[in-house]
Amino acid sequence: MQQSHAVLGEHPHIVYPGNLQGRHPRETGPKGAVLVKVNDGRVTSLEHRALDVVRWASITVDVSGTSEHPELLDLIRGHIAQSAEQADGRPIALRLTVIGTTPLHSRLILERAVFREDVETLLATLSDDVWLEKLKLDTEHPAAPDAVDPTVAGKLDQEVTRLSQGSAIAQVLEARLAEIRTKLPAGAHADAFIEQMRAEIPERAATLARSLVSEAGHAPD
């Protein structure tokens, strides 16, 4: 949480009151002004008064160990509800980061848009007004179980990683992104979209490959 106000000095007092309203996701927490009471030329008290209309919040939820989608959503809901209680009834602009090791990793990455819709539906069940400004996924696959041949699993995983980071896929990706870029309107949003795709597509491809390998390994004989 970014500091909203601070006393920088005394005798004489130097007080930084902070902003009246958080302007972007990094300016989280209460914002307002500082009420200063003076008696006979001396400061007798300082009191911060929260005056913000909308409050920014940044929450990181560790979903390690969750293996069912409803369980994961319940965990996220609990964290968001707790943050909403601290907003004193104000609407919240939420930046949510989901981390941890979970078997749901592949599903979350491959169905990112669906997961965001699930979170937004979840927010609608809260009594407080919460808007999802950004959702960031930073989860990981669980370690391979002991029952799996570590040599085979290790080689497959290394090969998937090598291919996803290789120059061949990078060349194909850049060619496709160039085609997409010509069809988008000029502007910062288009540039940001292309950069996001450049960062996410190799990982999504690797996740899909690992998922297909895993399903093949568990298929009945």
Side-chain angles (χ1 to χ4, degrees), residues 24-44:
H24 51 74
R26 293 190 299 276
E27 292 187 344
T28 58
K31 302 297 176 184
V34 175
L35 177 64
V36 181
K37 293 185 179 180
V38 179
N39 186 17
D40 292 333
R42 295 178 62 86
V43 175
T44 58

Side-chain angles (χ1 to χ4, degrees), residues 19-73:
N19 300 323
L20 294 178
Q21 172 63 58
R23 299 163 295 179
H24 51 74
R26 293 190 299 276
E27 292 187 344
T28 58
K31 302 297 176 184
V34 175
L35 177 64
V36 181
K37 293 185 179 180
V38 179
N39 186 17
D40 292 333
R42 295 178 62 86
V43 175
T44 58
S45 67
L46 302 170
E47 181 184 356
H48 183 264
R49 296 284 183 89
L51 302 174
D52 49 341
V53 178
V54 177
R55 189 160 296 177
W56 291 94
S58 181
I59 301 175
T60 299
V61 181
D62 188 344
V63 297
S64 296
T66 57
S67 57
E68 299 294 336
H69 198 63
E71 178 188 9
L72 181 143
L73 290 175

Side-chain angles (χ1 to χ4, degrees), residues 10 42 44 63 95 104 119 141 152 177 208:
E10 297 182 354
R42 295 178 62 86
T44 58
V63 297
R95 177 164 290 191
L104 298 171
V119 173
H141 282 285
V152 174
L177 289 177
L208 176 58

Side-chain angles (χ1 to χ4, degrees), residues 18 30 34-35 46 50-51 53 64 89 97 130-131 145 153 159 193 200 204:
V34 175
L35 177 64
L46 302 170
L51 302 174
V53 178
S64 296
T97 302
V130 182
W131 167 63
E159 185 65 12
F193 172 77
E200 292 182 359
R204 290 193 183 190

